[in-house]
Amino acid sequence: MIEFKKNVNKILPYDRRQYIEFLGSDFESPIVWYGVSFQLGSEEEKNGLTEFVETYESLFENIVLKLDNGSFWIVNHDDKDLKWFPNQEDTLTSLRNLFIQKNVPNTFKGALILATDDLLELTKDIISYPCGLFNEDALLYKNLDISHGEINFIIKITGHLTIDLLSTDKELLRKVVNENSSSYFKIKEYKGTSL
């Protein structure tokens, strides 16, 4: 299953406005979000985007498979909907080919709705999307949020070469973090999160 949806707010399993305000600093809400950032150690950081993708690929896949319950996944820009491809560079080949196969223009603004297998096939392009594949000179694209279709759980891919995990379910977040900790990563908790 692969779909392209323009109205992202209607399909997310959480209130996007509250989530965005949580990402800001001084927001109090009855819904509490918790977050952690998986960051590379200093040696791995020096190696650049290629090593970032190789290192984070298994982390991303492990998390997706752990949360998979047959539901769909939503892939969208984190705080506002932008054109998916603002340029014609020869990057992110699998993702660009998906747009071509589905007759969706590069200027599409909205979310991709994917089954787990489809999401996993696009892992490398999704992980490298905020930087553009093998273009280490500039941030070409926006951060991506990959949301589970039924659970308030977000995998955030950032242009800072991190994968952040956010959830309203502290115990689930703790479990996922504990199962995916390794010597490759420094795990930093978001302000207000104590796992």
Side-chain angles (χ1 to χ4, degrees):
M1 174 192 81
I2 300 174
E3 296 178 30
F4 292 77
K5 298 283 188 180
K6 288 186 179 178
N7 195 336
V8 176
N9 294 344
K10 286 187 176 181
I11 57 175
L12 293 173
Y14 56 87
D15 183 317
R16 192 178 194 190
R17 182 190 57 79
Q18 287 182 343
Y19 165 70
I20 291 167
E21 289 177 352
F22 160 76
L23 294 176
S25 54
D26 301 319
F27 178 68
E28 292 186 31
S29 167
I31 299 172
V32 179
W33 283 87
Y34 305 95
V36 298
S37 181
F38 277 73
Q39 303 175 2
L40 292 176
S42 57
E43 279 305 308
E44 289 80 9
E45 280 178 348
K46 295 176 190 171
N47 295 325
L49 186 58
T50 303
E51 285 73 15
F52 164 77
V53 172
E54 290 173 0
T55 305
Y56 279 95
E57 187 174 10
S58 62
L59 172 68
F60 181 82
E61 291 174 349
N62 287 344
I63 295 167
V64 168
L65 290 171
K66 170 70 179 172
L67 298 175
D68 180 35
N69 66 357
S71 182
F72 57 90
W73 293 85
I74 304 161
V75 182
N76 61 282
H77 296 105
D78 64 348
D79 62 348
K80 60 185 168 187
D81 300 326
L82 300 173
K83 296 176 185 176
W84 271 82
F85 299 106
N87 62 46
Q88 297 298 321
E89 291 190 20
D90 187 21
T91 59
L92 306 166
T93 308
S94 296
L95 197 53
R96 287 181 190 267
N97 285 339
L98 175 63
F99 275 65
I100 292 167
Q101 290 167 4
K102 298 292 184 178
N103 294 317
V104 176
N106 287 344
T107 57
F108 171 76
K109 293 181 181 181
L112 282 69
I113 311 301
L114 303 167
T116 299
D117 290 344
D118 297 317
L119 177 63
L120 293 176
E121 283 182 28
L122 294 169
T123 296
K124 286 185 180 180
D125 281 11
I126 287 173
I127 290 173
S128 57
Y129 179 89
C131 296
L133 189 58
F134 303 116
N135 187 335
E136 300 178 22
D137 298 327
L139 181 67
L140 297 176
Y141 308 110
K142 190 85 172 113
N143 294 342
L144 286 182
D145 283 348
I146 297 86
S147 310
H148 188 281
E150 297 176 351
I151 304 169
N152 288 355
F153 196 100
I154 298 168
I155 305 168
K156 179 182 287 298
I157 311 296
T158 78
H160 299 292
L161 302 184
T162 69
I163 289 184
D164 296 358
L165 306 178
L166 299 106
S167 182
T168 57
D169 184 335
K170 188 175 183 180
E171 291 307 312
L172 176 61
L173 181 62
R174 178 184 292 126
K175 185 174 183 179
V176 171
V177 168
N178 288 342
E179 290 175 358
N180 289 282
S181 298
S182 80
S183 60
Y184 290 112
F185 301 112
K186 293 181 284 187
I187 299 173
K188 300 207 172 186
E189 295 174 340
Y190 276 43
K191 181 179 176 183
T193 298
S194 177
L195 297 179

